Amino acid sequence: MVLISSNLLANQSKIDSLLAKLPSLNEIQKVDALNAIADIYHKSDGQTATKYASEALKLAKEINYKIGVADAYNNLSIADLQLSKFESSLHHSLKALEIYEQQKKPTKSAEIYNNIANAYLNLSNYKLAVVNYKNAANLYLQVSDSISLATIYNNIAVSYDNQEILDTALVYYNLAFPLYKKLNRKEYLGLWYMNVGDLFRKQNKIEEALKYQLIAEPLLIESNDLFTLMVLYSGLPYTYIKLNNNAQALIYAKKAVQLGLQLKSSRELSYAYLTLADVYAAKKDYQNQALYIKMYSELKDSVFTEETGRAVTEMQSKYENDKKIKEIELLNKDKKLQNVEIEKHKTSRNFLLGIASLGALLIGVLAFAFRNKNKANLILKNQKDKIEIQNHLLEEKNKEILDSITYAKRLQEAILPPLKLVQKHLEKSFILYKPKDIVAGDFYWFETKGDLLLFAAADCTGHGVPGAMVSVVCSNALNRTVKEFGITEPGKILDKVRELVVETFERSESDVKDGMDISLCVLDVNTNELFWSGANNPLWLVRHEIGDNRFEMNKLDFQYSNLNTPILTEYKPDKQPIGKIENSKLFTTQKISLQKNDSFYIFTDGFCDQFGGDSGKKYKTANFKKFILSIQDKEMREQQIILSQEIEKWKGNLEQVDDILVIGVKI
């Protein structure tokens, strides 16, 4: 159980006193009083806390009282946590943090980092929770706030506890205890005993677990911390179940449900229902178990909506991707071994051929010795002439091939939009384009239609001449889809392009399954709305600040530490290419509301797949993300130069393995 920072105890007489004084207070004092009342209600009634915090916010905005506005947002954030409104809690926290940092209020900023971390903890994003708890801890250390620092140590411990990293969790619990003990604050000591008791239960130290949990109960009752008490009552039954005392387990499980209903905390109430179901299971009362499992599921679904489902899907997708990457790396390793074996065979063959040739030459010399000199000279002259003719034919053939490829390059360049046209419409942008050979399978595409800018980074099957031929087919399909059929929604564009590409290749008597991976953007320049769809290739959005309506919980790979560092959000593509495949699905379109100074990137896999570095390994996606984040203080054209230098440095003397294409755009 995490602790939510609050400076006032839940005391009804204090509330009554503040309410009685309200009519005689000036407007600033009224804001402070309303915020104080909201603060008192946090531990017992989240809805009432929200009511008073909202009144404080409205009045503070009317009189332009910035600290009052920030305090109201802070109170709303804490109340949202109690009511399991985690997205709203993050939104209010970030609004408050912006003001506190402007006003240089480190203690208040630390409270907000704690709130942000609590929201992430409730969303099971433990790594980001720890990052923000540590941000709070650093600020509390600066101002020597021992009680708040102890609270943060407790919350960091809970984060590790939830990850089953129990030894590390106990270290942080023990850092908190002497601070709590010195201050003799019963609500904090009750929280500590509850959490450590739960940890002992996980370590199967059942007697110690029960001892600590029973110490916690009177401390929490005396301090009127009903929310934490409810969490204790949800955990105690599991200890009693392990002690085969199902009757006592049932008593505490029912107390947890009763408090959950009283406090109207959906998330914790759902856990109380689950606890009660588990108790009935231990009692082999399966009818009641089924009833409370149903109640738990219904309430849980109302709290954790489809974002949680997406997170699970994303974890599975990531697992599958990692698995495929490992398979590819194994295949590449096998291929390298095969190449080594081939080279060995070539060396052996060349050695034998050399010996055979040497033997033939010696025999020839002996034969020539018995012939007259003129005949020998004539043979040598004829051989020389033949070699010169063959060399001349080979040079001509090479020249023809090179001329053809060079002409193919001009044809491919004709399908690429002029960079001046792209930069005319997207002033803050760059295109890093490095074909592996003279011609490429990768290509970039750009089109305009009214207020819409359509552009894409595409990776066709293969590279060199075969890849370039496929790129012409795919680029033509994109042009036809937009110009001829008038389609502008990215998902539907990809559906039509797939239809046209498959139709083109089906004309062949061979079973052609070539196609492309692509990341396709449609930017509405009037509304700054970006519509995106991807076939195997993602889109990365980098955002520097979060303000009004800036936090979107449906993004999967959200990274956050504080408002001064960039955030990278990865939008996942549909896991299918453009081409002929079995069980193909319609492509999806995602809508992104862009803000000033947002940057986003689309790219092919060539950058990440390049071998190099000290150990000759792949660059990999994780390194690419870190590098993109590290250059966010640079202008877009400068980013292009830095990216080019980075991949050349990484590649070193090794061969470029694939075409490289990266497109960056800043709003």
Side-chain angles (χ1 to χ4, degrees), residues 383-659:
Q383 289 178 337
K384 181 181 178 182
D385 291 340
K386 287 180 180 179
I387 291 171
E388 287 178 351
I389 291 170
Q390 291 295 325
N391 285 338
H392 178 71
L393 290 173
L394 185 60
E395 288 174 0
E396 286 294 319
K397 183 62 66 178
N398 286 339
K399 185 175 182 303
E400 288 176 11
I401 293 171
L402 185 60
D403 288 344
S404 297
I405 295 174
T406 304
Y407 185 73
K409 181 177 185 292
R410 291 201 296 271
L411 290 175
Q412 188 175 46
E413 287 175 345
I415 74 169
L416 298 175
L419 290 177
K420 288 183 178 179
L421 175 65
V422 176
Q423 291 170 355
K424 174 185 174 183
H425 293 280
L426 296 169
E427 295 180 0
K428 297 180 180 179
S429 68
F430 71 82
I431 299 176
L432 175 63
Y433 187 49
K434 289 177 172 287
K436 178 185 184 299
D437 303 307
I438 297 174
V439 288
D442 286 9
F443 72 96
Y444 52 93
W445 176 82
F446 182 88
E447 189 57 60
T448 62
K449 198 167 182 67
D451 295 324
L452 301 178
L453 304 180
L454 302 90
F455 49 100
D459 180 2
C460 294
T461 308
H463 49 75
V465 175
M469 295 175 69
V470 177
S471 75
V472 172
V473 172
C474 293
S475 177
N476 181 57
L478 282 165
N479 290 330
R480 286 187 62 198
T481 298
V482 175
K483 294 179 180 179
E484 184 178 331
F485 297 96
I487 301 173
T488 58
E489 182 182 325
K492 292 181 179 178
I493 290 174
L494 296 189
D495 291 334
K496 188 64 179 179
V497 168
R498 175 170 56 195
E499 177 185 333
L500 295 174
V501 168
V502 170
E503 178 183 321
T504 300
F505 288 135
E506 279 183 343
R507 296 171 186 169
S508 170
E509 293 182 0
S510 303
D511 186 18
V512 180
K513 293 185 178 180
D514 290 315
M516 68 173 170
D517 297 335
I518 187 170
S519 186
L520 173 65
C521 298
V522 177
L523 176 62
D524 189 328
V525 295
N526 280 338
T527 64
N528 264 1
E529 289 179 327
L530 181 67
F531 301 87
W532 173 82
S533 186
N536 286 330
N537 287 351
L539 176 143
W540 291 353
L541 172 70
V542 177
R543 180 164 292 171
H544 293 264
E545 295 181 356
I546 300 178
D548 289 339
N549 302 319
R550 295 183 183 182
F551 192 85
E552 298 177 11
M553 290 300 298
N554 62 334
K555 309 307 179 291
L556 300 179
D557 285 345
F558 185 73
Q559 301 179 26
Y560 177 83
S561 59
N562 60 56
L563 292 180
N564 296 320
T565 57
I567 302 162
L568 190 151
T569 304
E570 179 170 359
Y571 289 78
K572 296 293 184 179
D574 292 299
K575 295 298 179 182
Q576 58 180 0
I578 301 293
K580 186 177 180 181
I581 60 170
E582 293 181 2
N583 302 319
S584 63
K585 299 178 292 185
L586 295 177
F587 286 95
T588 55
T589 296
Q590 298 190 48
K591 177 183 174 182
I592 308 165
S593 296
L594 297 175
Q595 302 164 17
K596 185 174 176 59
N597 294 324
D598 280 354
S599 300
F600 59 93
Y601 303 82
I602 54 177
F603 47 89
T604 59
D605 58 6
F607 200 108
C608 298
D609 286 348
Q610 179 59 49
F611 289 98
D614 295 335
S615 54
K617 294 182 178 179
K618 284 186 179 181
Y619 193 89
K620 294 189 177 179
T621 303
N623 290 330
F624 192 28
K625 283 183 179 178
K626 290 178 184 177
F627 194 78
I628 287 289
L629 286 169
S630 73
I631 60 174
Q632 287 306 301
D633 59 329
K634 309 298 182 185
E635 295 297 326
M636 299 307 282
R637 308 290 167 79
E638 189 176 357
Q639 286 189 24
Q640 177 184 354
I641 295 170
I642 295 171
L643 281 167
S644 180
Q645 292 171 342
E646 170 70 359
I647 200 63
E648 289 298 323
K649 178 183 175 183
W650 178 264
K651 182 179 70 173
N653 296 324
L654 297 180
E655 180 184 1
Q656 184 173 328
V657 298
D658 200 359
D659 303 319

Side-chain angles (χ1 to χ4, degrees), residues 30-228:
K30 283 182 180 179
V31 171
D32 291 340
L34 289 167
N35 275 321
I37 294 169
D39 190 33
I40 294 171
Y41 273 115
H42 285 148
K43 293 289 180 70
S44 58
D45 190 339
Q47 290 185 346
T48 305
T50 299
K51 172 192 169 185
Y52 284 106
S54 299
E55 290 180 19
L57 179 62
K58 181 180 178 183
L59 180 55
K61 284 185 174 180
E62 288 174 358
I63 63 175
N64 196 27
Y65 178 27
K66 290 186 178 179
I67 290 298
V69 170
D71 288 344
Y73 279 132
N74 188 1
N75 281 322
L76 286 169
S77 170
I78 298 171
D80 286 336
L81 280 173
Q82 304 290 20
L83 297 170
S84 305
K85 299 177 180 178
F86 306 123
E87 179 179 357
S88 179
S89 176
L90 281 165
H91 172 73
H92 289 134
S93 290
L94 294 168
K95 299 277 281 185
L97 183 60
E98 184 177 6
I99 298 172
Y100 285 145
E101 289 190 336
Q102 289 172 356
Q103 299 293 315
K104 297 182 179 179
K105 301 286 184 181
T107 301
K108 289 292 188 178
S109 295
E111 285 183 25
I112 296 301
Y113 279 123
N114 186 48
N115 295 346
I116 291 169
N118 288 342
Y120 280 128
L121 186 72
N122 281 294
L123 291 166
S124 301
N125 195 332
Y126 303 119
K127 290 183 179 178
L128 287 181
V130 169
V131 167
N132 285 283
Y133 285 136
K134 288 183 178 178
N135 286 340
N138 289 333
L139 290 171
Y140 284 133
L141 282 167
Q142 292 174 22
V143 297
S144 301
D145 187 341
S146 297
I147 189 64
S148 297
L149 184 60
T151 296
I152 298 304
Y153 286 150
N154 173 83
N155 294 350
I156 293 173
V158 172
S159 300
Y160 286 115
D161 198 337
N162 285 332
Q163 297 176 77
E164 300 295 326
I165 309 174
L166 301 182
D167 291 340
T168 304
L170 193 56
V171 168
Y172 278 98
Y173 281 135
N174 288 334
L175 284 173
F177 184 74
L179 298 173
Y180 287 153
K181 190 73 173 174
K182 181 179 179 181
L183 294 164
N184 196 28
R185 294 284 292 274
K186 292 180 180 179
E187 69 272 30
Y188 297 124
L189 286 169
L191 172 78
W192 187 88
Y193 279 111
M194 181 193 75
N195 283 339
V196 175
D198 190 60
L199 184 146
F200 284 147
R201 180 178 57 79
K202 291 178 181 177
Q203 292 180 327
N204 215 29
K205 300 175 181 178
I206 307 304
E207 297 293 342
E208 291 180 76
L210 182 62
K211 174 184 173 182
Y212 277 69
Q213 288 172 319
L214 291 179
I215 291 173
E217 184 180 12
L219 292 169
L220 295 173
I221 291 172
E222 189 174 346
S223 62
N224 198 32
D225 188 350
L226 302 183
F227 186 83
T228 308

